[in-house]
Amino acid sequence: MKSIVEQYRKVRIMYAKPGDWLIAEHHTISGTARRGLIEEVHGEAGEPPYLVHWTDTGHRVLIYPGPDAYVLSSEDLSHTAQQTEGP
């Protein structure tokens, strides 16, 4: 069974609602994923751009996410965290 993250990465069109989380992966050895709370959705029907509040810097930015980013609901983010932490 594929993880939630793997399932979301296959979706090309991004949709979100306020309260969802934007995850931006870094594909370098020293890079870590960034996580930001989506506070506002400015596109039609949940499409970008999003006003995101980044947890690592506290900055808010209006962003069109790149191909290394995906959206998770709060529930999905909690589930993903539980999977990586283990029992």
Side-chain angles (χ1 to χ4, degrees):
M1 180 175 186
K2 293 185 179 184
S3 73
I4 292 170
V5 172
E6 290 171 329
Q7 292 172 25
Y8 277 100
R9 285 183 181 156
K10 290 192 176 222
V11 177
R12 295 287 179 206
I13 300 171
M14 189 174 291
Y15 299 99
K17 63 186 182 310
D20 286 346
W21 291 88
L22 182 67
I23 311 299
E25 297 283 353
H26 289 275
H27 298 287
T28 61
I29 293 173
S30 62
T32 58
R34 294 185 77 192
R35 183 173 61 181
L37 179 65
I38 298 173
E39 295 181 340
E40 298 174 5
V41 176
H42 291 262
E44 293 184 29
E47 296 175 1
Y50 305 130
L51 180 65
V52 174
H53 183 187
W54 292 112
T55 58
D56 59 345
T57 63
H59 290 110
R60 287 180 172 85
V61 63
L62 188 64
I63 186 171
Y64 284 90
D68 62 341
Y70 55 94
V71 173
L72 292 177
S73 69
S74 294
E75 296 82 20
D76 289 340
L77 185 64
S78 296
H79 181 71
T80 300
Q82 290 173 358
Q83 285 181 336
T84 57
E85 291 173 4

